[in-house]
Amino acid sequence: MPLPKKYRIAGKKEMDSVFKNGKTVRGVFLFIRALKNQREYTRFGFIIPTKHIPLAAERNKIRRILSEEIAKLYLPGRGYDIVAVVHKKIEKSRFKELVSELNALLLKIQNQNV
């Protein structure tokens, strides 16, 4: 089940504002930038550079995996814009590790009250 459109960050302008003003939490494969927004719900964006994952099919698979996990765990009423970025090369066999790392980083953000 993909993430509903309402909960996605669309557009370079919105992503840039998160990168410019947001707080960062780092993991082994991912880093997350989070910024409080004026909405009553949290929106998510994913960046997977071709430098780290050269095949488009694999990049799309990672986006689907992360977006499905977010859809399962989504907590309404948070009011953040969150961008998850893959910052390290990862083998196809380790894609599932991204899910556990995503969960851990989201908990860090929640505990820090970004």
Side-chain angles (χ1 to χ4, degrees):
M1 174 175 85
L3 198 60
K5 201 169 195 172
K6 173 182 177 181
Y7 301 115
R8 290 186 237 160
I9 297 175
K12 182 172 173 25
K13 210 175 203 181
E14 293 174 339
M15 290 264 195
D16 286 345
S17 74
V18 174
F19 272 95
K20 195 179 223 181
N21 305 314
K23 303 282 184 179
T24 303
V25 179
R26 289 192 177 275
V28 177
F29 298 110
L30 293 172
F31 76 85
I32 293 180
R33 298 287 295 213
L35 179 67
K36 197 127 177 93
N37 66 23
Q38 300 300 319
R39 295 174 171 85
E40 295 178 6
Y41 51 89
T42 299
R43 299 183 312 160
F44 296 90
F46 304 102
I47 297 176
I48 299 123
T50 54
K51 176 181 176 183
H52 301 306
I53 311 292
L55 295 177
E58 290 180 4
R59 288 193 306 275
N60 291 335
K61 183 173 182 142
I62 291 172
R63 278 189 196 97
R64 279 193 310 274
I65 289 169
L66 295 177
S67 129
E68 286 174 7
E69 188 63 23
I70 293 290
K72 279 191 255 178
L73 297 175
Y74 180 69
L75 302 171
R78 285 271 157 204
Y80 289 99
D81 284 342
I82 297 175
V83 178
V85 181
V86 174
H87 70 89
K88 189 175 181 182
K89 197 169 203 162
I90 183 170
E91 299 88 37
K92 192 174 184 177
S93 61
R94 299 179 77 185
F95 284 175
K96 295 294 179 182
E97 290 179 35
L98 288 173
V99 173
S100 60
E101 186 169 312
L102 177 69
N103 293 333
L105 293 176
L106 288 174
L107 280 174
K108 275 187 185 179
I109 287 174
Q110 187 177 0
N111 292 336
Q112 288 180 355
N113 288 330
V114 175

